[in-house]
Structure formats: structure tokens, C-alpha cells
Amino acid sequence: MAGGDSPAETKKGSSKTSKNSKESTLKQKSPAEFFAENKNIAGFDNPGKSLYTTVRELVENALDSSESISELPEVEVTIEEIGKSKFNSMIGLIDRERVDTKLYDDYETDKAREKRLVKEARASEIQAKNLASGKKNKEPGVSRVLKARGEASYYKVTCRDNGKGMPHDDIPNMFGRVLSGTKYGLKQTRGKFGLGAKMALIWSKMSTGLPIEISSSMKSQNYVTFCRLDIDIHRNIPHIHLHEKKANKEKWHGAEIQVVIEGNWTTYRSKILHYMRQMAVITPYAQFLFRFISETPEKNVTVKFTRRTDVMPPIPIETKHHPSSVDLLLIKRLVTDTSKKTLLQFLQNEFVNINKNLAARLIGEMGPDFSPGMAVKSVTSQQMVRIHQLFRQAKFDDPSGDCLSPAGEYNLRLGIIKELHPDMVATHSGSAQVFEGHPFIVEAGVSVGGRDVKQGINIFRFANRIPLLFEQGGDVVTRTALKRINWNSYKINQTQDKIGVFVSIVSTKIPFKGTGKEYIGDDISEIATAVKSAIQQCCIQLKSKIVKRLQAREQQERKRSLSRYIPDATGAVYEVLKQMTEEHTKKRKRYKEEETAMLEKVSKLIITKETLKEKLAEHVEQVDYEMALEYATQSGVSEEPRENIYLQQLNPNHSNFIDLHSPTFVFRLIL
Amino acid sequence: MADKKKPKRTKEDKDEDLPFKSILESDEAILKLLKSYISSSLTAAGSSGASSSSSSKPLTLADLSLSSSCREVADLSLSSVQTEIETVIVQIARSILAGDGFSFSVPSRAASNQLYVPELDRIVLKDKSTLRPFASVSSVRKTTITTRILALIHQLCLRNIHVTKRDLFYTDVKLFQDQTQSDAVLDDVSCMLGCTRSSLNVIAAEKGVVVGRLIFSDNGDMIDCTKMGMGGKAIPPNIDRVGDMQSDAMFILLVEKDAAYIRLAEDRFYNRFPCIIVTAKGQPDVATRLFLRKMKMELKLPVLALVDSDPYGLKILSVYGCGSKNMSYDSANLTTPDIKWLGIRPSDLDKYKIPEQCRLPMTEQDIKTGKDMLEEDFVKKNPGWVEELNLMVKTKQKAEIQALSSFGFQYLSEVYLPLKLQQQDWL
């Protein structure tokens, strides 16, 4: 995949460092160029994945933006399919009919057509036969028209939110310059690369050449910024087509981003929908509206994920680095950036878990070259290595998890109930733990049963509150759930039950694996243990519920299952009695007195099989009654699973209520 | 036999392909060594005479003042079994008629109810019982099956016939569902009535075989186990048929596996070194255990065991020696004291230079079993065994008896066993 218009000559040039070249052939590569050429690391491997990644980047940006101003997010995503002719008209290209049909890859030769016709005839014959025999016809195999190479499909992706919006003047640089952001503190963030919409813009530039359109308004502004721009990949600067202010009639604030890209809806449809659904699980306080508009209306999709709560997790706080997590480069940068004068102040202020006392001790340990009062800017690179080594070896307190923003047990639970409607759900939130100086929190939920859930274990993974969909196999959550949890011991059937396993990990640094940052490795024992114990905690909660349910079922079926064995048991007893009676009457064996009394009754048919049966049935009846009574007193009032309901907030502007008062309640009519 | 063997051996190998062959002395020398060992062990037993015989023979549970009382069963005559069953049934009938339903009190055979008694060197059953009421969902099935089995055994008693466990199962497949259920209840019943399983007239299919210098009577017919062909004589399922044991063997060789047994039988190992060879083809059944005990008790021969070098080999050894947990109520009749572990021991792997490709790595399960066994009392009592087992767990290697075949199929009978005997290398 040599990037469309990313220059091939750059590569050539750099490989051929001949002296006779006209100018310096060693070209500097702009960050935008680098990402254009390595788009797979940012999740733009192919058109389908690119469509998916574009959607997720836009959605995650939107959520971040709304949360940053503590607004309950409302996100609208629209994907509009654009046919070839429409696309051509958009870029001002006139449709051209094929003249030389044999030139094209999808040209059907005579032989191939013959084959196809025969096949189709046979298919219709079978269909007719099935119809005649009254068999239910399976979906007739729609002859899949293979999409010819080079025939791309284009999509207009629009994402609108109610977030912070962007300052009018910053918009071009925010989109048109890769890595122009200044976010370099340490913070739990959704984005994986901090590229966000820029990568989508590069992709649109590469695949369609169409510019991106941005509308934005901030809360204090009375206008809407509209900006149309694209990016100059080589120079890594924005290329502005239009940048203007419009009237803001609806007092809207937020951003709307529209980009036209090449994509593939057919292959990534389910991934995108899964993504939206899982996002709704982990963000139940947000409202999502997802729409897919196709050229053929019957393929349209509209999904609305409604809000179920207005409790938002706190915004993650930016924190300082933990000494055991920094590398040499980072120390260098911190030294350059710091505003502190002395080494002591630097250590004390630029890191967590180093107080003045500890800083002094650390400096003492570094050796005679260091002193608390020395200027931090005078620290040489060699000395930095010493600092780094000491950081690695010294013991520091673990960083606290206060800077993290987990979804919260409440939200996770709501999300699961809202989207899966399970029969049972349990959630657990672990305490903060530490891996290589970065705090992390594992939250888990386990559900049983539900709508649209497959049998067996369904795994939902979240990292920093975004769903992970790819490369499930190697993930720590998958491995743990499938291999290290003994589901049987919690009365859960691993293959028969519909099990949902939800694990959300938040951290200031998620240790992703793989190029696409799509999974968390299984080799980190701290995380693996935390995941396992979180899932187990959920299972323990579920077990008691399941056991209760089994008991309830046993209650209902007890009488029947007991009565089933009455004939067998009494039959066996009676058989022996009869034999004994025979022995007794033939005087082959002498019995004790009380035994003979009974045997005589048997021979006189006072005791028969039937009497035994009746008496045992009576006993069963009585026991059943007693146990039912006991069960009822023990479990108290029948406990139907209570479900939380979420009531939409009333519009506070509405205040003309009519209250009907009674001594015990108020009845309010809402007009 | 012996002359047939000799020319074969001399032409086959000139002390080069079979390792350790050179150390091997002549058969006569080995036999002499063995004889002296046996006579010395016999005299040792004789010298401590009164004390040892009195302590080994009549020492029973009753003699020991154990803190917890234990349960043991005895052989009962058919009529007394019948009476026992009838008493139980009449009690049940009375209870039903009184409107109280009924329940059995069944001795628990769970691991927590087992006790290893070092003085006896076997596992015994403690006296904990569980109540099995009819009117409970969890026990109604077992209770019904128990009643049914009682009635069936009552019939056997009346007619005085034997049936197999399989027969018993097929009398009511619908109720029993699978044979493990009726088998388990059968053990419960014998435990409950306080009699051995053989006295219930229910037998298991023949599994064990015996070959070698042994003559005994089976239901009146005299059997000479040297003249039973290659396969040997199947061990009779009910031991009461067996009597009049005679032998000129010097020891009993207990073999874990069929393959090694066939090798030894075909090579007529028992003619070279007079012995009796027994196998139960894996986990031993009741009949083989009873038979081995009878041989040991009547013939007073040392028992040498040849098992795989893995935790299961030792486990099988322990079942012969101390009894299984499942049938600990009858361990007095089923166990054979003083079995020597001849091989293949973990230390033999290096001693006999068994090549790497014939050794298998132990699985995690194996290692866990091995470690668990180290905690078992019957292993702990023998320091030599502990050492060997520790070695096994440490090296994480196991080997089957067949690993010796890497030196030639007959290495087992030609070199390994004679050498072991010569060195009296058993624990």
C-alpha cells in the first residue's frame, strides 16, 4: 500500500544517495508524511478498517470534548454512502462509460458466463423442487457480485457533539498539523496516539482528496465557526479553503466534523455496530445516535443508544510522573521544561511520591557530584543516567489511583443492563494497583443471559473506557476468562449459558501490545491477577443468585421428582417382604415376633404394594409441605429482581404543575 | 526351558549390546544369594518369632486403642446376609407404614472419613455415617437404588447364586442409569450391612492373571500355573473357590502392566528364577488383591513389585499395600503387607542409563499427583520411597516399564530383573 499521493520519489531519492544529485537527496520527512506511509499503526490498514477507525476517533474526540466541560455527551454519527457517480460529481469529474470492456478486470468471458448460467439454472431448479416438496426455502444464495478491484466505495462520515467546541483561530492548526498538540503530561486518555481526527484527514486526503469540514461553537460564542481545510502532507501545514463565522441560531455548542473517505461498509458493518454498542455499555451517561444512509434505502441503519444515567465519572486528573516509570529521554525533557531552579526542587516537584526528605536522601545517594542546591539545568547527560539508574533501583511508594477515572461500578452495571438486558449481572471494582510506576484499576462485570448474546463466553474489553475489538485471542482478559476461571465452580455452564464478561482497565498508561494497540498482553502478572480476581468477585456474587434460583426451581419440582421414585422403592421393599412371607409360610425360616406380625399382615393382604405406596406418598406430601413452608419463611417475601429505572430529567423551564395533595401523597399533573 | 534359553543368549550377545550384562553373575549364584536372603529374612521373622508373628497376625483394629472408632467388615454367611437385609427391610416397611418415610444410615466413604493406621500399615474407615432420607431431592435417587440393590441381593441369597456387577446393573438399567451408580451403591450396601463384598455374592469380571510356580485348587480343580500356557490362569473372581495353595517359588513378582507380564510369561522367567508372576493389568481389582493376600499369607513369600516410574505406579503399589480409599472398610482382607518396590524406580533411570528418548516429561498433573503422594502417610513411612519420589518430582521425568525395551525387548527378563535380584535392590 504505497500511499496514494505520498511521494514515491522521496523513497527513491533517499535510497539513491548519489553525489551527482542536483540537491540534497536526504529529505526531511514530516510527521504527516510518516503517518501517511505507516497508516497501519494508527488503524488505517485497509478501507474497511479506516472507516471504522475514523468513526471511533471522531466518537472518542466527541466524548472527551463533552466530558471536559462536564456536559452529558450527545453524539450523532452519520455514515452516508456515496456512489461512484455522486462521488465523481462531488469532485467535478464526469462519468465515463466503459468502451473497451475487455480492458477491465471484471470482464466476463463467454466461458465464464456459460458456467454462471448453468449454475444459476441449477440453483433455480433446486429451489423449485424445494418449493414443490413444501420444504422451507433457505435464503436463496444471492449471487454475490464480486466487487471489482479498483472500484472503491466512498462514505461521508459526520460526527456531531455537544462538547466544548474549539476556538475559532486554533481550528486550522488543530486539524491540519500532525502532532501539534501540547498534551504531554501524564493522564488517563481515551486516544491511543493523540492523532484523532488528523489521521482521518490524512486518510481522506489520500483516498478521496476531499477536504474536511468543521463547524464549531463554544459556549460563550454567539457565532459558529465553519472551516473547510485539508492538509499539506509534505509540509505538515493546514491548507485552508474557507474559514468563516456564521450565526449561531440554536445556541448550539460543540463540534461537527465531516469527512469524506474511502471505506468499506459491508465488511466492517458489524465491527462498527459492535463498537457503538460497547461504547454505549461503558458510557451509559451518553446518548448516541448512529445512522447509516445507503443509496438503497432498505440497507439503512439507525440505532439509538439512549442515556440511562446522568452520573458521569470524574474527569481524569493530570498527574506527574512516578520516578520508577520514567526513562532517560523523559528525564531530559522534564529537566529542560522545568521551572524549578535547584535539583532538590526539581525532584520534589516534578514527580509524585518524592517529598523533600526523600529528595535529599536521593541526592545524597547519587554521589559527591550532586548537591541539593545545584542548578537543575546544569545536570549533564551523564548525571541524568545516574539519576535514571537510581530511580530504577530505589524504592518509592506506589502512585495512588486518584488520578484515574474508572467507569464506576454503577455505570458499568447500568451499561450492561441497558444494552444486554441480562437475567443476572454482577459487577466489581478493584482497588488501584501499580504496574511499572503507572497506577491502574480493573473493573469487571459478568452477566448471564440476555438479548442478542451468544451461548458461551462473550468478552467485552475496555481500555481507558474505549472498547477493544480486534486481536482478542492474545488479550489478558480473553485468556483469563477462558482458561483461568473455573466457571463450573460458580454453577455457570461455560458452553451452555450466555455469559458476558466485561472488563474495563483504566491507567495512565495501558500496556498495549501489537501494532494497532488492540490488545493488552497476557504477560503482565499484576494485570492478569487483578483481572482474574475482579472476574472471580463477580462470579462469587452471581453464584449466590444462581444457587437461589436453583433452589427455587427445586422447590417447584421437588414433589414431582420425589414421587417419581415411590414405585421403585416400595416395589423393592414389598418384593422382599413377599419373599419373606413365603419363607415364613413354608416354615423354611424362623423370624422374630415383630417380624412375623408384619409378615402375616402381608399374607393377609393387609399390607400390599399399594398401601406402601400410599403411605410413602403421604410422607412425601407432608415433607414437601414442610419444606415449602420453611423455604418461604427463610427467603421471606418473594424477591423479584428489582431493576433500576432511569427517569429523564424534567425540563426545568416547565413549572406550571398542578399538584393534587392528599395526606399521604402528592399527585402532580405535568402539562 | 533353561537349555533353550542358554544357547540363544550366548549367540545373541557377547556382553556388548546389553549394558550391565557384564556385572551379572550366573543364575546359580543369584539363586544362592536369594536363598540366603529368604532364609535370613525368615529366621529374622522367626527370631523375633513370637512377637512378630503375634503382632503381625492377630493385630487388628480392636487391639489398637485408637482415638476414633473405626468400621470394619467381616465375611458373613449367606443366611446371615439374608437376615441382615430382612431386618433392614422390615424396619423400612414399618417406618413407611407409620407415615415417616424411610432413610438409610450409610457409612461415609469420603476422604475425610479415612484414616491411615501406621501400626496396621493400611487405610481404615472411620465411623462417620451419613443419613440418606427418601424424602430429599438430593438423596432420593440413591436411596431408591439402595432399596433396589438390597432386594436384588436378597434374591441372590435365597437362590444361592453368584452374579457379576454387570448382571446386577442390567436388572434395572432404567433406574441405575449407568453401572458406576449401581457399583457405588453396592459398596455402600456391603459397608452398611457390615459384610465384605464377596459375601454379597456379587463378583466382578475376571481381570487379574497369574502364572508361575503355583498350584492351587479352583472350585475343586487343581490348577498348575506353570502349565497354563503363556497367558496364565485368570484369577477367580470369588476367593472362596481358591484353596490348597502350594509353591516352590522364592518370591512373588507383582507386575503393573500386561505388556511386561506377557514378556516375562513368554520368556518363562519363573523357570529361571522360581517365582509367581501376578498382574491386575493396571489398577487392581478386588479379586487380585484378595488372591495376592492369600498367597502372601499362606506361602509366606516376599512380594516384589514392578511398576512404572510415575506417580500412578506408586499409587497402584499403595493400593495393593494399604488399600484404596473406596474400599477401606474391607482393607483388612484386601491388603498385602510388606510389598517391596523393585522397580522401575526414578533412580534406576540414571543407574541403568535409560536413554533420554525413552523418558517422558511429567505433566503438571503428574507433578501435582507426585507432590500430593509425598504427603500421604503410606509413602512417608518408607524413607526410601520418599527419596525416590522426591527425585521423580525434582527431575520431572517418568518412564514406563517398556522404556527398558530400548535395549532390546528381552532386556527386562534377561538383564534388568536378574541384576535387581542379584543386588537385592528393592525398597
Side-chain angles (χ1 to χ4, degrees), chain A residues 128-191:
Chain A
K129 223 189 239 165
N130 284 349
L131 215 64
S133 62
K135 256 190 230 163
K136 190 116 203 279
N137 227 346
K138 269 191 215 151
E139 194 75 6
V142 183
S143 51
R144 242 173 3 114
V145 183
L146 277 175
K147 193 162 271 176
R149 180 170 55 87
E151 180 153 355
S153 23
Y154 299 97
Y155 300 90
K156 181 155 80 185
V157 183
T158 314
C159 178
R160 184 183 168 94
D161 64 51
N162 60 342
K164 194 181 176 189
M166 290 160 278
H168 178 81
D169 297 327
D170 291 351
I171 290 176
N173 268 336
M174 287 178 90
F175 285 89
R177 204 191 284 271
V178 171
L179 302 181
S180 68
T182 46
K183 178 212 76 145
Y184 279 114
L186 193 63
K187 191 175 161 185
Q188 173 193 333
T189 50
R190 280 207 172 87

Side-chain angles (χ1 to χ4, degrees), chain A residues 265-439:
Chain A
W265 172 252
T266 13
T267 50
Y268 273 72
R269 176 181 180 273
S270 73
K271 284 283 180 200
I272 292 173
L273 290 176
H274 271 134
Y275 171 77
M276 292 307 296
R277 189 181 184 199
Q278 294 194 17
M279 199 50 145
V281 168
I282 199 76
T283 350
Y285 52 88
Q287 180 132 314
F288 296 97
L289 179 66
F290 176 82
R291 268 181 310 198
F292 173 74
I293 300 164
S294 167
E295 292 199 306
T296 41
E298 62 266 28
K299 281 191 189 161
N300 283 357
V301 179
T302 306
V303 198
K304 191 175 179 187
F305 301 94
T306 46
R307 174 177 300 138
R308 278 295 293 272
T309 170
D310 44 18
V311 180
M312 272 210 284
I315 306 165
I317 305 158
E318 192 165 320
T319 178
K320 288 173 285 190
H321 292 274
H322 189 268
S324 57
S325 72
V326 293
D327 58 24
L328 206 51
L329 213 65
L330 193 64
I331 296 177
K332 210 170 257 179
R333 214 183 68 216
L334 290 172
V335 166
T336 339
D337 291 352
T338 187
S339 58
K340 298 290 175 269
K341 297 270 173 347
T342 67
L343 181 62
L344 185 84
Q345 286 170 331
F346 170 73
L347 292 180
Q348 193 187 334
N349 288 301
E350 297 295 335
F351 300 96
V352 290
N353 296 29
I354 299 184
N355 57 22
K356 195 170 176 186
N357 185 21
L358 183 60
R361 276 177 67 197
L362 285 169
I363 294 169
E365 188 65 25
M366 285 172 200
D369 296 352
F370 298 85
S371 68
M374 74 189 287
V376 68
K377 305 276 183 198
S378 73
V379 172
T380 64
S381 340
Q382 235 177 341
Q383 285 172 322
M384 278 181 206
V385 175
R386 179 79 193 101
I387 295 175
H388 182 224
Q389 284 172 350
L390 186 64
F391 276 0
R392 273 291 152 92
Q393 290 156 11
K395 190 165 70 87
F396 299 96
D397 288 342
D398 284 340
S400 80
D402 297 348
C403 57
L404 298 178
S405 164
E409 236 185 293
Y410 174 76
N411 272 348
L412 184 63
R413 189 187 184 85
L414 263 185
I416 297 171
I417 294 176
K418 163 169 114 81
E419 289 308 319
L420 275 85
H421 301 274
D423 301 338
M424 270 181 262
V425 63
T427 48
H428 175 79
S429 188
S431 55
Q433 300 197 41
V434 179
F435 167 64
E436 284 185 354
H438 291 281

Side-chain angles (χ1 to χ4, degrees), chain A residues 322-589:
Chain A
H322 189 268
S324 57
S325 72
V326 293
D327 58 24
L328 206 51
L329 213 65
L330 193 64
I331 296 177
K332 210 170 257 179
R333 214 183 68 216
L334 290 172
V335 166
T336 339
D337 291 352
T338 187
S339 58
K340 298 290 175 269
K341 297 270 173 347
T342 67
L343 181 62
L344 185 84
Q345 286 170 331
F346 170 73
L347 292 180
Q348 193 187 334
N349 288 301
E350 297 295 335
F351 300 96
V352 290
N353 296 29
I354 299 184
N355 57 22
K356 195 170 176 186
N357 185 21
L358 183 60
R361 276 177 67 197
L362 285 169
I363 294 169
E365 188 65 25
M366 285 172 200
D369 296 352
F370 298 85
S371 68
M374 74 189 287
V376 68
K377 305 276 183 198
S378 73
V379 172
T380 64
S381 340
Q382 235 177 341
Q383 285 172 322
M384 278 181 206
V385 175
R386 179 79 193 101
I387 295 175
H388 182 224
Q389 284 172 350
L390 186 64
F391 276 0
R392 273 291 152 92
Q393 290 156 11
K395 190 165 70 87
F396 299 96
D397 288 342
D398 284 340
S400 80
D402 297 348
C403 57
L404 298 178
S405 164
E409 236 185 293
Y410 174 76
N411 272 348
L412 184 63
R413 189 187 184 85
L414 263 185
I416 297 171
I417 294 176
K418 163 169 114 81
E419 289 308 319
L420 275 85
H421 301 274
D423 301 338
M424 270 181 262
V425 63
T427 48
H428 175 79
S429 188
S431 55
Q433 300 197 41
V434 179
F435 167 64
E436 284 185 354
H438 291 281
F440 69 89
I441 294 178
V442 174
E443 294 169 296
V446 175
S447 70
V448 177
R451 225 167 43 187
D452 302 337
V453 188
K454 274 185 284 182
Q455 275 190 347
I457 297 179
N458 298 269
I459 289 166
F460 298 82
R461 300 174 288 145
F462 303 95
N464 280 354
R465 294 204 266 127
I466 55 170
L468 302 179
L469 293 184
F470 294 90
E471 300 191 56
Q472 174 158 303
D475 193 273
V476 61
V477 176
T478 321
R479 295 272 183 104
T480 307
L482 294 182
K483 300 215 175 110
R484 300 192 196 109
I485 303 282
N486 183 5
W487 295 97
N488 272 338
S489 63
Y490 304 105
K491 312 264 182 213
I492 299 173
N493 187 326
Q494 192 172 347
T495 47
Q496 296 289 309
D497 289 334
K498 297 171 170 179
I499 311 166
V501 177
F502 305 79
V503 176
S504 157
I505 302 174
V506 294
S507 174
T508 44
K509 188 186 171 217
I510 301 268
F512 284 114
K513 279 270 169 75
T515 45
K517 290 196 171 188
E518 286 291 354
Y519 73 101
I520 301 169
D522 193 23
D523 48 356
I524 301 155
S525 60
E526 289 92 337
I527 293 185
T529 333
V531 167
K532 186 180 171 193
S533 86
I535 296 178
Q536 276 174 336
Q537 287 300 322
C538 296
C539 290
I540 290 170
Q541 293 174 38
L542 280 183
K543 188 184 175 184
S544 64
K545 287 190 196 176
I546 293 172
V547 166
K548 239 183 220 158
R549 190 173 282 203
L550 286 176
Q551 275 173 352
R553 194 179 303 157
E554 196 180 282
Q555 283 298 321
Q556 289 171 351
E557 292 176 4
R558 182 180 41 229
K559 199 171 147 188
R560 204 158 52 90
S561 46
L562 288 181
S563 306
R564 205 170 50 193
Y565 289 103
I566 293 177
D568 272 324
T570 50
V573 171
Y574 184 71
E575 199 180 309
V576 177
L577 288 179
K578 221 173 85 186
Q579 295 281 1
M580 287 168 74
T581 318
E582 229 167 86
E583 299 282 299
H584 176 65
T585 46
K586 286 181 188 163
K587 304 247 159 44
R588 256 184 271 167
K589 194 172 172 190

Side-chain angles (χ1 to χ4, degrees), chain A residues 558 562 565-566 568-569 572-573 575-577 579-580 583 589 591 594-595 598 607 612 615-616 619-620 623, chain B residues 83 86 89-90 92-94 96-97 99-101 134-137 140-141 144 147-148 151 154-155 158 175:
Chain A
R558 182 180 41 229
L562 288 181
Y565 289 103
I566 293 177
D568 272 324
V573 171
E575 199 180 309
V576 177
L577 288 179
Q579 295 281 1
M580 287 168 74
E583 299 282 299
K589 194 172 172 190
Y591 288 98
E594 64 263 37
E595 284 171 354
M598 179 175 284
I607 297 172
L612 286 172
K615 284 288 182 185
L616 194 54
H619 176 70
V620 165
V623 167
Chain B
T83 316
E86 286 168 351
I89 291 288
V90 169
I92 289 173
R94 195 171 295 139
I96 293 176
L97 292 173
D100 295 336
F134 180 82
S136 152
V137 176
V140 61
R141 243 190 87 66
T144 311
T147 333
R148 195 86 180 83
H154 187 250
Q155 266 185 37
L158 286 176
L175 176 65

